[in-house]
Amino acid sequence: MSPPVLVATDLDGTLIRSDGTVSARTRAALGRVRRSGATVVFVTGRPSRVMAGIAAQTAASGLAICANGALVFDLDAGVAVSHRYLESATALRLARAIRELVPDAAFAVESGTRFGREPRFETMWPDPQELVGAFHELLVTLPATKLLVRRGGRPFTAVYDVIVELAGADAVVTTSSADLVEIAGPGVSKAVALAELAAQRGVRADQVVAFGDMPNDLPMFAWAGHSVAVANAHPDVLAAADEITASNDDDGVALILERLFPAD
């Protein structure tokens, strides 16, 4: 393919190594993209509250799509540009239904730059300002960007489809790891947010290359002109990709960007 106008990449498990770092090779490849005049957009399940560190590691600027598409974040100003919430009544209904289905489930709420969790919920990114309480208390206090569900490291494989049915048209259910279910408002996806951002810049889908590793990347893969899965990706993502590159720990994203954007 010819050099894309926009590079959309997932972060964890895709651009970021297993140890949480971004390699020098990947930073250099991202810099090569920017010098060519193309745009790099991070499209991640991460909340906006933890984007400062990755922006510093990669020298990223401009807009990032966070929370699986529920929030578009200005990395330079540190503020949300757009925000789609999950209705509190829907979040409460689903939390109660999931608790009946999975009694050991624990819940957390992402709310832009704020975060709340039940005591049993184990978070990847501890927040010194977090709220801790029962899910119904959290949902009253924090408008939900995403409702998160864990069960002590155990997978949701056996009940995931049931949770999707419970949500119906009221919410979007997805996953970025076997032990985490993420629930956002209706119509929210990485693809929708990316398509809107691209349209604002006059960029067509066939001018976009997308990188990912987990099922929450599948809508983005279906929309983008060219999709690339890292070797460590979920089987469904590997099957959907136009191309497979090396793993996140072996600079898979950088390998493709070096080919698409030859050295200056």
Side-chain angles (χ1 to χ4, degrees):
M1 65 179 294
S2 57
V5 175
L6 192 153
V7 172
T9 181
D10 174 56
L11 293 177
D12 298 288
T14 301
L15 188 81
I16 299 175
R17 291 180 164 185
S18 299
D19 64 1
T21 64
V22 177
S23 72
R25 182 176 183 178
T26 295
R27 287 195 296 273
L30 293 172
R32 186 184 295 188
V33 174
R34 297 188 190 100
R35 287 193 299 275
S36 78
T39 300
V40 176
V41 177
F42 295 148
V43 187
T44 178
R46 283 187 176 215
S48 56
R49 64 187 175 89
V50 300
M51 290 300 291
I54 194 64
Q57 279 199 68
T58 58
S61 61
L63 300 180
I65 294 169
C66 301
N68 291 326
L71 187 148
V72 178
F73 188 68
D74 187 323
L75 294 170
D76 304 304
V79 297
V81 173
S82 65
H83 203 160
R84 292 180 171 135
Y85 291 101
L86 173 65
E87 287 190 4
S88 295
T90 298
L92 283 167
R93 175 182 72 80
L94 289 173
R96 290 180 175 126
I98 293 169
R99 177 62 51 81
E100 289 185 9
L101 179 68
V102 187
D104 61 341
F107 298 91
V109 178
E110 290 287 0
S111 182
T113 56
R114 303 185 68 193
F115 175 71
R117 65 177 179 85
E118 291 191 310
R120 289 187 297 137
F121 187 94
E122 297 179 4
T123 179
M124 289 178 60
W125 300 291
D127 186 336
Q129 305 299 320
E130 69 183 12
L131 299 178
V132 179
F135 71 81
H136 59 276
E137 297 170 340
L138 298 174
L139 288 168
V140 168
T141 307
L142 299 176
T145 308
K146 287 196 305 183
L147 177 65
L148 308 177
V149 195
R150 287 193 190 277
R151 55 184 312 196
R154 296 171 58 198
F156 282 93
T157 309
V159 296
Y160 180 81
D161 289 343
V162 179
I163 295 174
V164 172
E165 290 179 10
L166 288 170
D170 295 335
V172 172
V173 180
T174 189
T175 181
S176 56
S177 63
D179 68 338
L180 176 68
V181 169
E182 304 171 65
I183 304 172
V188 168
S189 76
K190 289 186 174 186
V192 169
L194 181 59
E196 291 177 352
L197 188 151
Q200 291 165 7
R201 287 160 172 72
V203 177
R204 304 186 309 269
D206 63 359
Q207 297 174 305
V208 177
V209 60
F211 296 88
D213 74 309
M214 289 300 288
N216 60 337
D217 294 313
L218 288 172
M220 178 170 68
F221 272 29
W223 178 80
H226 191 72
S227 58
V228 184
V230 286
N232 52 289
H234 186 282
D236 291 348
V237 178
L238 292 171
D242 295 313
E243 183 176 359
I244 298 172
T245 186
S247 73
N248 63 319
D249 288 331
D250 293 319
D251 298 318
V253 174
L255 282 169
I256 302 299
L257 294 181
E258 288 165 357
R259 187 190 79 212
L260 294 175
F261 299 90
D264 303 327

